[in-house]
Amino acid sequence: MEHQNVTLSIRKDLLRKVKHIAIERQTSVSGLLAGMLEELAQKGDLYSRSRARHIGMLDNAFDLETHGKTTWRREDVHER
């Protein structure tokens, strides 16, 4: 897989904290960020596929023959 370098500008105090996190996880700052970005991209792909699947389910839902009109009143359904 081909890689490309990028330049990132962040606050020095934040970089110090991120370096400590990377050390704790036995990786580099670059590896830590690459993993997080990959996870973010995967979540976006999963969301898109899930959304498309659910929209497809709505398109193929049961036809209740109402044609978008309510044929009942709230009072009829929720008698007190």
Side-chain angles (χ1 to χ4, degrees):
M1 185 174 282
E2 190 175 339
H3 292 83
Q4 181 169 342
N5 290 333
V6 296
T7 301
L8 178 67
S9 178
I10 59 175
R11 296 185 330 263
K12 286 184 180 183
D13 63 320
L14 178 58
L15 178 60
R16 190 175 325 108
K17 291 176 184 179
V18 171
K19 283 181 178 180
H20 286 286
I21 293 169
I23 290 168
E24 289 172 359
R25 296 184 185 187
Q26 297 180 340
T27 188
S28 63
V29 171
S30 179
L32 183 69
L33 291 173
M36 294 178 85
L37 291 172
E38 189 169 329
E39 183 180 328
L40 181 65
Q42 287 175 351
K43 284 181 180 179
D45 290 343
L46 286 173
Y47 174 80
S48 295
R49 286 196 307 263
S50 178
R51 183 177 188 278
R53 187 178 82 238
H54 283 90
I55 288 175
M57 290 168 67
L58 290 172
D59 288 341
N60 296 319
F62 292 111
D63 183 7
L64 301 176
E65 304 283 332
T66 62
H67 305 287
K69 296 180 182 174
T70 304
T71 58
W72 44 265
R73 297 179 318 149
R74 183 182 187 281
E75 294 80 21
D76 296 335
V77 177
H78 298 281
E79 289 187 51
R80 296 187 190 257

